[in-house]
Amino acid sequence: MSKVMIVTGASRGIGAAIAQLAAQRDFSVCINYARNAAIADAMVDQITQAGGKAIAVRADVSRKEEAVHLFQEVDSRLGTVDVLMNNAGIIGDPRLVEDLDPAALQQIFAVNVYGSFYCAGEAVKRMSTRYGGKGGAIVNLSSAAARHGGLPKEVAYAASKGALDSFTLALAKEVARDGVRVNAVRPGLIATDIHDAHGGREAIATLGATVPIGRPGAASEVAETALWLASPAASYIHGALIDVSGGR
Ligand code: NAP
């Protein structure tokens, strides 16, 4: 029987690449999204037509009750989750620290950090052997910005990813004996819509040339690492923060 994977923020970018690769590797996939129903539904059609199994569920993961609803939908429509990809994330408008208003700061941490906590909590309740589960894997999509500080005016974003790294290390210890492996992927500069606030594809191309490897990364390259971390091939990898950043 196929394993069940939830990918938060899977309507675009890295999340979409993870969901597509997971479907090719025989996972039943839940494509979570916040607003883009049409794109998420089109992905479900594409996966289904290729012989896979997928559902799309709208849920703003920064709201606890919506994160709970996401997992309940998966319970009833796909079965118990085996892998959680905590991928949904936002950069927010670029701001110097003195110009950050509390609502903007709150929103960045609510999506990037609180959303990952809420989803991980729901996943642990279902995966952990402490609750009668059969184990599983959680992969948090952090960022290389957690260690290098990110692009200019990304203080809030970089700090939120630093929190996600610490969460990964702490949660890995918390569930280490419960059959749940927890790791993080830290992408570098990856060509997706998230950079629209920083000049979009043009800026990605310019910045990409400064990356040691000489180019920006593709979402599919991050997806390969995330899928590997969730697979039995990574059975002794636990509490690791894996950079996928072209040397940056
Ligand atoms: P993206 O292209 O902007 O896509 C973001 C996805 O997250 C979309 O599917 C969006 O849904 C969803 N989303 C946003 N807020 C949400 C919420 N509150 N609840 C549920 N879903 C929500 O982003 P990306 O570049 O693929 O980034 C994915 C992850 O990788 C993020 O955590 C990001 O921080 C991390 N990352 C990215 C890069 C990079 O260079 N791209 C580098 C390092 C780390 P809608 O389509 O419905 O809006």
Side-chain angles (χ1 to χ4, degrees):
M1 212 168 80
S2 339
K3 290 196 165 184
V4 174
M5 179 186 292
I6 297 175
V7 188
T8 68
S11 48
R12 293 181 283 124
I14 293 169
I18 292 173
Q20 279 155 349
L21 191 60
Q24 284 165 25
R25 297 195 180 160
D26 202 31
F27 279 92
S28 298
V29 187
C30 171
I31 294 161
N32 158 250
Y33 64 97
R35 288 165 297 272
N36 260 312
I39 302 183
D41 289 342
M43 279 180 64
V44 169
D45 287 348
Q46 190 193 20
I47 289 170
T48 310
Q49 277 163 24
K53 190 164 181 188
I55 61 169
V57 178
R58 201 209 74 78
D60 175 350
V61 295
S62 72
R63 296 172 177 270
K64 166 103 179 170
E65 66 281 9
E66 296 194 24
V68 169
H69 166 75
L70 166 63
F71 280 76
Q72 287 169 342
E73 282 287 301
V74 171
D75 288 341
S76 61
R77 295 168 64 192
L78 289 182
T80 308
V81 62
D82 297 288
V83 175
L84 167 65
M85 295 285 177
N86 260 330
N87 169 78
I90 56 170
I91 287 184
D93 290 335
R95 288 274 186 278
L96 297 171
V97 69
E98 62 270 34
D99 298 330
L100 266 168
D101 71 82
L105 187 58
Q106 155 70 23
Q107 183 61 11
I108 291 169
F109 276 77
V111 178
N112 297 1
V113 184
Y114 297 0
S116 299
F117 271 70
Y118 299 148
C119 290
E122 290 306 303
V124 165
K125 280 189 217 161
R126 289 159 174 84
M127 294 173 181
S128 167
T129 51
R130 258 188 300 139
Y131 294 98
K134 58 183 186 336
I138 298 174
V139 178
N140 293 327
L141 272 290
S142 175
S143 171
R147 63 171 162 71
H148 65 52
L151 295 170
K153 302 186 180 178
E154 278 186 2
V155 278
Y157 175 75
S160 75
K161 294 298 182 176
L164 197 54
D165 279 3
S166 300
F167 176 52
T168 304
L169 301 175
L171 182 62
K173 284 187 176 169
E174 199 165 283
V175 298
R177 305 287 174 105
D178 302 340
V180 184
R181 286 189 306 105
V182 184
N183 293 290
V185 178
R186 299 198 296 193
L189 184 75
I190 310 298
T192 72
D193 300 345
I194 208 168
H195 299 290
D196 286 354
H198 285 279
R201 302 290 156 139
E202 211 173 295
I204 293 170
T206 310
L207 280 167
T210 70
V211 175
I213 215 167
R215 63 171 176 84
S220 59
E221 294 176 294
V222 181
E224 288 284 355
T225 305
L227 262 289
W228 169 73
L229 273 175
S231 78
S235 54
Y236 202 57
I237 315 251
H238 186 58
L241 312 173
I242 308 279
D243 288 348
V244 182
S245 61
R248 180 167 171 253

